[in-house]
Amino acid sequence: MQLIQENPDLSAYLAADETIDHHHPVVREVSARLAVDVQDSYEYARAAFEYVRDRITHSQDADDPRVTWRASDVLEQGTGICYAKAHALAALLRAEDIPTALCYQYLGVVHGLVAVRFQGAWHRQDPRGNKPGVDARFSLAGECLAFTPDPSSNEMDLPVLYAAPHPTVLRALRDAPDRSHLWRTLPAVLP
């Protein structure tokens, strides 16, 4: 699949905003801690991915009712669904000047991922968190995502790389008072 940058300006994929708040002290503290033991940006990206995948619980898997959406809140509270975990990973990567996009799959509902830019190309990563039947890993040598879309069920990878969270996704997260409400209002499509 050919990935398509929504914004041709690569600097857009390094920007901070209200959601990808990589200048926030919580994000900076985690990024500084992760950067201590690595030799280069690739090792940092892998460490950040593994931190979000393994240390931030997927709220559905953990039966956590909280809904987080801002990267600093995800890191501080230690929980979030796929979108929120993608926001946290994007913030950690952008904090270290690694271009990072938000991207999505359609799996009956919209599923959130990130793409990192290394070696002149984008590489999609899925920090949702592993569980039985899910084994997502950081890779630049081929995708190791949590889920593979089933075209016979009308599932698909969506090719657009967004610099900011899709407004439909962000609205669902912000409007949800708890995870059970969010689960009933997850976006089925992205307009």
Side-chain angles (χ1 to χ4, degrees):
M1 173 182 64
Q2 178 72 30
L3 297 173
I4 304 163
Q5 283 182 217
E6 174 195 39
N7 188 328
D9 182 359
L10 195 58
S11 68
Y13 299 92
L14 292 168
D17 60 27
E18 185 181 14
T19 305
I20 312 299
D21 58 343
H22 64 76
H23 297 302
H24 191 282
V26 169
V27 178
R28 300 307 297 181
E29 185 275 322
V30 173
S31 69
R33 199 167 3 112
L34 293 171
V36 167
D37 295 323
V38 299
Q39 301 298 316
D40 57 29
S41 60
Y42 174 79
E43 284 185 21
Y44 174 83
R46 178 187 298 276
F49 170 84
E50 290 173 355
Y51 180 87
V52 173
R53 182 195 64 192
D54 300 342
R55 302 278 306 273
I56 307 299
T57 63
H58 188 284
S59 58
Q60 175 72 18
D61 296 349
D63 198 26
D64 190 323
R66 295 175 291 172
V67 175
T68 54
W69 56 272
R70 184 179 289 118
S72 57
D73 293 339
V74 174
L75 294 171
E76 188 170 61
Q77 295 180 37
T79 192
I81 68 164
C82 61
Y83 311 130
K85 292 181 71 157
H87 299 166
L89 180 55
L92 288 173
L93 295 171
R94 290 181 184 186
E96 294 295 320
D97 295 322
I98 299 169
T100 307
L102 299 162
C103 49
Y104 304 93
Q105 294 176 309
Y106 174 71
L107 304 169
V109 293
V110 176
H111 175 63
L113 311 167
V114 300
V116 295
R117 184 129 177 122
F118 276 105
Q119 303 166 346
W122 289 101
H123 305 273
R124 293 188 314 158
Q125 312 295 326
D126 190 344
R128 104 109 358 255
N130 290 340
K131 63 180 187 172
V134 174
D135 184 24
R137 287 172 273 131
F138 185 84
S139 175
L140 302 184
E143 294 185 338
C144 297
L145 306 177
F147 305 107
T148 302
D150 177 6
S152 69
S153 297
N154 294 319
E155 295 179 348
M156 68 183 83
D157 289 311
L158 302 175
V160 178
L161 301 174
Y162 296 92
H166 193 283
T168 302
V169 167
L170 196 53
R171 186 170 33 261
L173 289 168
R174 285 179 162 176
D175 291 351
D178 58 37
R179 188 181 39 81
S180 65
H181 180 273
L182 177 62
W183 234 240
R184 294 188 305 273
T185 60
L186 285 174
V189 294
L190 296 179

